[in-house]
Amino acid sequence: NKAGESKVLERCSLPLTGAGVVDMIITDLCVLTCDKANGGGLTLVEIAPGVSLDEIKAKTEAGFEVELG
């Protein structure tokens, strides 16, 4: 965000209105899929041009697996 904080958090601190309905997160850095069947784990599937994996790790609070194809 503008303050330099991650928007993809380990745990949401706000009330949830649609828990378990998101299956993909698209940001200016990358694309992450959400495995709803297995607890909601995130998987990195695409990196934006000019962005490194280290940059994504540094700017993303939530943990994720990497599966680039």
Side-chain angles (χ1 to χ4, degrees):
N1 66 18
K2 292 180 182 181
E5 300 165 334
S6 178
K7 289 183 178 182
V8 183
L9 305 175
E10 188 67 38
R11 180 169 288 287
C12 186
S13 60
L14 299 172
L16 298 176
T17 58
V21 297
V22 173
D23 58 8
M24 185 175 289
I25 300 170
I26 301 171
T27 73
D28 57 333
L29 300 176
C30 64
V31 177
L32 299 157
T33 58
C34 184
D35 185 1
K36 295 186 290 187
N38 293 310
L42 298 176
T43 302
L44 175 69
V45 295
E46 187 175 335
I47 297 176
V51 176
S52 70
L53 179 57
D54 287 336
E55 181 180 0
I56 295 168
K57 287 180 180 179
K59 293 182 176 180
T60 305
E61 178 185 308
F64 58 86
E65 300 293 321
V66 178
E67 187 179 301
L68 301 172

XYZ file of all heavy atoms in Angstrom:
490
model
N 0.827 -1.189 0.000
C 0.000 0.000 0.000
C 0.876 1.260 0.000
O 2.099 1.160 -0.027
C -0.980 -0.022 1.176
C -0.318 0.075 2.535
O 0.829 0.472 2.667
N -1.062 -0.306 3.562
N 0.276 2.412 0.072
C 1.033 3.667 0.024
C 1.974 3.850 1.211
O 2.955 4.564 1.113
C 0.072 4.855 -0.068
C -0.666 4.902 -1.388
C -1.609 6.078 -1.459
C -2.357 6.059 -2.773
N -3.277 7.181 -2.915
N 1.670 3.187 2.325
C 2.518 3.281 3.515
C 3.640 2.238 3.494
O 4.429 2.161 4.420
C 1.672 3.102 4.770
N 3.691 1.429 2.446
C 4.726 0.422 2.326
C 4.414 -0.890 3.030
O 5.255 -1.767 3.123
N 3.181 -1.036 3.505
C 2.775 -2.253 4.196
C 2.181 -3.254 3.203
O 1.601 -2.871 2.193
C 1.732 -1.923 5.264
C 2.243 -0.953 6.315
C 1.123 -0.364 7.139
O -0.019 -0.299 6.642
O 1.398 0.050 8.272
N 2.315 -4.532 3.520
C 1.777 -5.588 2.669
C 0.257 -5.561 2.669
O -0.376 -5.347 3.699
C 2.261 -6.955 3.161
O 1.702 -7.978 2.379
N -0.336 -5.809 1.502
C -1.784 -5.950 1.409
C -2.196 -7.417 1.515
O -3.344 -7.720 1.794
C -2.295 -5.392 0.077
C -2.225 -3.887 -0.023
C -2.819 -3.451 -1.344
C -2.839 -1.955 -1.491
N -3.459 -1.549 -2.760
N -1.266 -8.322 1.268
C -1.545 -9.756 1.375
C -1.016 -10.208 2.732
O 0.172 -10.412 2.920
C -0.888 -10.548 0.220
C -1.248 -12.018 0.319
C -1.300 -9.984 -1.136
N -1.944 -10.322 3.686
C -1.586 -10.563 5.083
C -1.681 -12.038 5.464
O -2.416 -12.803 4.843
C -2.513 -9.751 5.990
C -2.581 -8.245 5.715
C -3.623 -7.595 6.609
C -1.216 -7.612 5.909
N -0.983 -12.395 6.514
C -1.055 -13.752 7.055
C -2.446 -14.023 7.615
O -2.996 -15.095 7.451
C 0.004 -13.927 8.155
C 0.146 -15.340 8.640
C 0.701 -16.286 7.587
O 1.578 -15.893 6.816
O 0.232 -17.447 7.562
N -3.036 -13.024 8.278
C -4.370 -13.167 8.859
C -5.086 -11.824 8.762
O -4.511 -10.788 9.065
C -4.268 -13.583 10.317
C -5.600 -13.767 11.000
C -5.503 -14.428 12.348
N -5.187 -15.847 12.321
C -6.025 -16.826 11.954
N -7.232 -16.520 11.537
N -5.670 -18.086 12.002
N -6.348 -11.849 8.370
C -7.138 -10.632 8.228
C -7.505 -10.090 9.608
O -7.906 -10.837 10.501
C -8.407 -10.916 7.438
S -9.355 -9.422 7.088
N -7.366 -8.775 9.772
C -7.710 -8.150 11.050
C -9.078 -7.462 11.006
O -9.526 -6.924 12.006
C -6.635 -7.123 11.429
O -6.547 -6.123 10.430
N -9.732 -7.511 9.865
C -11.052 -6.901 9.708
C -12.122 -7.987 9.689
O -11.824 -9.154 9.420
C -11.101 -6.110 8.397
C -10.103 -4.965 8.274
C -10.127 -4.390 6.872
C -10.387 -3.894 9.295
N -13.378 -7.633 9.937
C -14.451 -8.630 9.844
C -14.542 -9.195 8.425
O -14.433 -8.448 7.445
C -15.716 -7.830 10.182
C -15.237 -6.604 10.871
C -13.865 -6.321 10.343
N -14.710 -10.501 8.310
C -14.801 -11.142 7.004
C -16.242 -11.182 6.531
O -17.138 -11.557 7.277
C -14.245 -12.566 7.079
C -12.768 -12.678 7.449
C -12.378 -14.140 7.579
C -11.903 -11.991 6.410
N -16.458 -10.808 5.276
C -17.796 -10.853 4.701
C -17.943 -11.998 3.709
O -19.039 -12.335 3.314
C -18.131 -9.525 3.988
O -17.155 -9.287 2.976
C -18.149 -8.376 4.973
N -16.828 -12.586 3.303
C -16.883 -13.681 2.347
C -15.728 -14.635 2.540
O -14.940 -14.848 1.619
N -15.626 -15.225 3.707
C -14.519 -16.135 3.996
C -14.548 -17.337 3.066
O -15.592 -17.939 2.833
C -14.594 -16.593 5.447
N -13.395 -17.672 2.510
C -13.264 -18.862 1.684
C -13.770 -18.742 0.268
O -13.955 -19.755 -0.399
N -14.009 -17.539 -0.229
C -14.534 -17.395 -1.591
C -13.479 -16.946 -2.604
O -13.702 -17.050 -3.801
C -15.745 -16.431 -1.634
C -16.901 -16.974 -0.814
C -15.372 -15.050 -1.164
N -12.338 -16.485 -2.147
C -11.293 -16.001 -3.051
C -10.451 -17.178 -3.535
O -10.015 -18.006 -2.743
C -10.395 -14.966 -2.341
C -9.210 -14.578 -3.203
C -11.201 -13.741 -1.968
N -10.247 -17.271 -4.859
C -9.386 -18.332 -5.368
C -8.157 -17.796 -6.100
O -7.261 -18.555 -6.448
C -10.152 -19.313 -6.245
C -10.828 -18.655 -7.433
O -10.596 -17.475 -7.688
O -11.599 -19.349 -8.108
N -8.091 -16.474 -6.309
C -6.937 -15.870 -6.969
C -6.762 -14.434 -6.507
O -7.738 -13.707 -6.330
C -7.112 -15.904 -8.490
C -5.908 -15.412 -9.264
S -6.107 -15.601 -11.058
C -5.999 -17.376 -11.203
N -5.495 -14.039 -6.295
C -5.163 -12.664 -5.921
C -4.225 -12.130 -6.993
O -3.163 -12.718 -7.248
C -4.467 -12.603 -4.546
C -5.364 -13.183 -3.456
C -4.057 -11.167 -4.219
C -4.670 -13.392 -2.122
N -4.614 -11.034 -7.618
C -3.797 -10.418 -8.664
C -3.340 -9.054 -8.162
O -4.167 -8.213 -7.804
C -4.593 -10.260 -9.975
C -5.082 -11.635 -10.441
C -3.742 -9.585 -11.047
C -6.050 -11.594 -11.597
N -2.019 -8.850 -8.103
C -1.460 -7.579 -7.648
C -0.576 -7.002 -8.751
O -0.391 -7.616 -9.798
C -0.617 -7.753 -6.372
O 0.619 -8.388 -6.702
C -1.352 -8.566 -5.317
N 0.010 -5.838 -8.483
C 0.938 -5.253 -9.443
C 2.263 -6.008 -9.478
O 3.056 -5.830 -10.400
C 1.170 -3.769 -9.151
C 1.685 -3.524 -7.745
O 1.401 -4.330 -6.842
O 2.360 -2.510 -7.544
N 2.509 -6.879 -8.491
C 3.752 -7.654 -8.426
C 3.616 -9.063 -8.974
O 4.551 -9.589 -9.583
C 4.234 -7.761 -6.976
C 4.534 -6.473 -6.233
C 4.897 -6.783 -4.791
C 5.640 -5.703 -6.920
N 2.451 -9.690 -8.725
C 2.344 -11.113 -9.039
C 0.896 -11.586 -9.042
O -0.018 -10.834 -8.739
C 3.136 -11.921 -8.030
S 2.495 -11.790 -6.339
N 0.756 -12.886 -9.361
C -0.532 -13.570 -9.268
C -0.358 -14.735 -8.300
O 0.569 -15.535 -8.438
C -1.003 -14.090 -10.641
C -2.311 -14.865 -10.511
C -1.149 -12.945 -11.637
N -1.250 -14.801 -7.315
C -1.251 -15.875 -6.328
C -2.573 -16.621 -6.414
O -3.637 -15.993 -6.542
C -1.107 -15.305 -4.912
C 0.169 -14.525 -4.610
C -0.055 -13.575 -3.447
C 1.302 -15.480 -4.307
N -2.536 -17.947 -6.345
C -3.768 -18.716 -6.263
C -3.956 -19.157 -4.824
O -2.998 -19.295 -4.064
C -3.750 -19.947 -7.182
O -2.640 -20.775 -6.848
C -3.683 -19.531 -8.649
N -5.214 -19.372 -4.439
C -5.564 -19.758 -3.081
C -6.178 -21.154 -3.110
O -7.195 -21.378 -3.762
C -6.560 -18.751 -2.506
S -6.985 -19.063 -0.793
N -5.566 -22.096 -2.415
C -6.029 -23.478 -2.367
C -7.090 -23.618 -1.284
O -6.795 -23.976 -0.149
C -4.851 -24.412 -2.113
C -5.234 -25.876 -2.173
O -6.421 -26.178 -2.437
O -4.346 -26.714 -1.966
N -8.335 -23.328 -1.638
C -9.430 -23.349 -0.666
C -9.675 -24.747 -0.107
O -10.074 -24.902 1.029
C -10.712 -22.815 -1.304
C -10.626 -21.355 -1.702
C -11.945 -20.823 -2.184
C -12.327 -21.417 -3.515
N -13.520 -20.807 -4.100
N -9.400 -25.772 -0.878
C -9.652 -27.147 -0.444
C -8.701 -27.588 0.667
O -9.025 -28.467 1.445
C -9.541 -28.092 -1.633
N -7.525 -26.964 0.728
C -6.530 -27.373 1.716
C -6.138 -26.238 2.660
O -4.967 -25.995 2.902
C -5.282 -27.915 1.002
C -5.567 -29.204 0.271
O -6.131 -30.125 0.830
N -5.210 -29.259 -0.996
N -7.112 -25.521 3.156
C -6.854 -24.515 4.175
C -6.484 -23.138 3.673
O -6.125 -22.278 4.455
N -6.536 -22.901 2.390
C -6.317 -21.562 1.870
C -4.883 -21.168 1.616
O -4.584 -19.990 1.499
N -3.973 -22.113 1.545
C -2.580 -21.782 1.269
C -2.409 -21.073 -0.061
O -3.146 -21.331 -1.016
N -1.458 -20.167 -0.131
C -1.213 -19.396 -1.347
C -0.079 -20.007 -2.166
O 0.890 -20.512 -1.611
C -0.853 -17.957 -0.994
C -1.919 -17.151 -0.266
C -1.380 -15.770 0.107
C -3.174 -17.023 -1.106
N -0.221 -19.902 -3.495
C 0.818 -20.353 -4.415
C 1.075 -19.259 -5.433
O 0.148 -18.779 -6.094
C 0.392 -21.644 -5.150
O 0.109 -22.655 -4.184
C 1.497 -22.134 -6.070
N 2.340 -18.865 -5.560
C 2.751 -17.881 -6.557
C 2.794 -18.568 -7.914
O 3.505 -19.555 -8.089
C 4.137 -17.327 -6.199
C 4.778 -16.376 -7.197
C 4.023 -15.056 -7.244
C 6.229 -16.146 -6.846
N 2.019 -18.058 -8.882
C 1.963 -18.695 -10.199
C 2.469 -17.800 -11.323
O 2.724 -18.280 -12.428
C 0.537 -19.202 -10.524
C 0.121 -20.310 -9.559
C -0.477 -18.079 -10.506
N 2.603 -16.497 -11.058
C 3.082 -15.583 -12.098
C 3.727 -14.354 -11.460
O 3.218 -13.843 -10.467
C 1.917 -15.153 -12.993
C 2.318 -14.354 -14.198
C 1.143 -14.053 -15.117
O 0.147 -14.803 -15.105
O 1.215 -13.045 -15.844
N 4.837 -13.913 -12.048
C 5.544 -12.721 -11.581
C 5.468 -11.655 -12.676
O 5.674 -11.953 -13.854
C 7.019 -13.041 -11.264
C 7.105 -14.055 -10.121
C 7.786 -11.784 -10.896
C 8.518 -14.510 -9.801
N 5.185 -10.425 -12.283
C 5.115 -9.313 -13.237
C 6.502 -9.031 -13.815
O 7.525 -9.238 -13.138
C 4.567 -8.066 -12.550
N 6.558 -8.555 -15.057
C 7.851 -8.204 -15.663
C 8.608 -7.189 -14.810
O 8.026 -6.244 -14.287
C 7.451 -7.588 -17.009
C 6.094 -8.147 -17.302
C 5.438 -8.317 -15.964
N 9.898 -7.430 -14.624
C 10.741 -6.516 -13.874
C 10.698 -6.695 -12.373
O 11.333 -5.948 -11.634
N 9.934 -7.685 -11.891
C 9.802 -7.934 -10.457
C 10.552 -9.226 -10.128
O 10.455 -10.209 -10.855
C 8.320 -8.061 -10.048
C 8.182 -8.411 -8.580
C 7.568 -6.780 -10.363
N 11.286 -9.234 -9.015
C 12.020 -10.428 -8.619
C 11.259 -11.190 -7.537
O 10.421 -10.629 -6.822
C 13.409 -10.057 -8.086
O 13.292 -9.409 -6.838
N 11.579 -12.467 -7.397
C 10.981 -13.282 -6.344
C 11.329 -12.718 -4.968
O 10.482 -12.668 -4.082
C 11.454 -14.734 -6.469
C 10.926 -15.715 -5.427
C 9.410 -15.749 -5.404
C 11.500 -17.101 -5.681
N 12.549 -12.249 -4.806
C 12.960 -11.655 -3.521
C 12.121 -10.427 -3.183
O 11.780 -10.207 -2.026
C 14.446 -11.296 -3.544
C 15.341 -12.520 -3.482
O 14.878 -13.572 -2.984
O 16.495 -12.432 -3.932
N 11.787 -9.612 -4.182
C 10.951 -8.429 -3.946
C 9.555 -8.837 -3.485
O 8.998 -8.252 -2.553
C 10.852 -7.585 -5.222
C 10.023 -6.337 -5.066
C 9.927 -5.491 -6.325
O 10.505 -5.866 -7.367
O 9.273 -4.440 -6.256
N 8.996 -9.873 -4.105
C 7.671 -10.352 -3.718
C 7.702 -10.875 -2.285
O 6.829 -10.562 -1.478
C 7.173 -11.434 -4.693
C 6.965 -10.818 -6.077
C 5.882 -12.072 -4.193
C 6.748 -11.814 -7.181
N 8.723 -11.650 -1.948
C 8.850 -12.175 -0.583
C 8.962 -11.045 0.432
O 8.368 -11.108 1.509
C 10.060 -13.091 -0.478
C 9.862 -14.423 -1.158
C 11.108 -15.279 -1.026
C 10.926 -16.624 -1.698
N 12.139 -17.458 -1.589
N 9.710 -10.000 0.094
C 9.907 -8.879 1.016
C 8.634 -8.057 1.211
O 8.419 -7.494 2.278
C 11.033 -7.980 0.508
N 7.777 -8.005 0.192
C 6.597 -7.154 0.245
C 5.304 -7.906 0.559
O 4.240 -7.290 0.601
C 6.442 -6.418 -1.085
C 7.543 -5.405 -1.328
C 7.339 -4.658 -2.623
C 8.395 -3.576 -2.809
N 8.207 -2.846 -4.063
N 5.391 -9.224 0.766
C 4.200 -10.028 1.024
C 4.311 -10.659 2.400
O 5.196 -11.478 2.636
C 4.047 -11.114 -0.053
O 4.051 -10.509 -1.342
C 2.765 -11.897 0.138
N 3.423 -10.261 3.311
C 3.456 -10.787 4.678
C 3.099 -12.269 4.721
O 3.730 -13.047 5.432
C 2.497 -10.010 5.565
C 2.440 -10.523 6.998
C 1.395 -9.819 7.827
O 1.395 -8.570 7.851
O 0.574 -10.514 8.449
N 2.090 -12.661 3.978
C 1.644 -14.054 4.000
C 2.656 -14.965 3.334
O 3.302 -14.586 2.359
C 0.300 -14.170 3.280
N 2.771 -16.160 3.871
C 3.645 -17.150 3.257
C 3.015 -17.711 1.982
O 1.798 -17.677 1.822
N 3.835 -18.217 1.092
C 3.323 -18.804 -0.143
C 4.328 -19.802 -0.714
O 5.517 -19.728 -0.449
C 3.018 -17.720 -1.184
C 4.185 -16.838 -1.552
C 5.088 -17.201 -2.553
C 4.392 -15.638 -0.895
C 6.156 -16.389 -2.879
C 5.465 -14.813 -1.214
C 6.353 -15.194 -2.218
N 3.796 -20.739 -1.484
C 4.608 -21.685 -2.243
C 4.879 -21.069 -3.607
O 4.173 -20.149 -4.025
C 3.867 -23.009 -2.420
C 3.504 -23.702 -1.118
C 4.732 -24.189 -0.360
O 5.661 -24.677 -1.020
O 4.750 -24.085 0.872
N 5.878 -21.569 -4.312
C 6.206 -21.060 -5.647
C 6.002 -22.174 -6.661
O 6.551 -23.257 -6.523
C 7.657 -20.545 -5.704
C 8.001 -20.072 -7.107
C 7.883 -19.453 -4.683
N 5.172 -21.886 -7.674
C 4.914 -22.833 -8.755
C 4.813 -22.053 -10.055
O 3.733 -21.749 -10.543
C 3.627 -23.606 -8.490
C 3.367 -24.734 -9.467
C 2.099 -25.480 -9.131
O 2.006 -26.013 -8.019
O 1.202 -25.510 -9.990
N 5.967 -21.681 -10.592
C 6.000 -20.900 -11.827
C 6.098 -21.856 -13.013
O 6.877 -22.779 -13.001
C 7.198 -19.939 -11.808
C 7.194 -18.943 -10.644
C 8.489 -18.175 -10.591
C 6.018 -18.001 -10.759
N 5.280 -21.601 -14.010
C 5.276 -22.512 -15.146
C 5.649 -21.813 -16.344
O 5.957 -21.719 -17.330
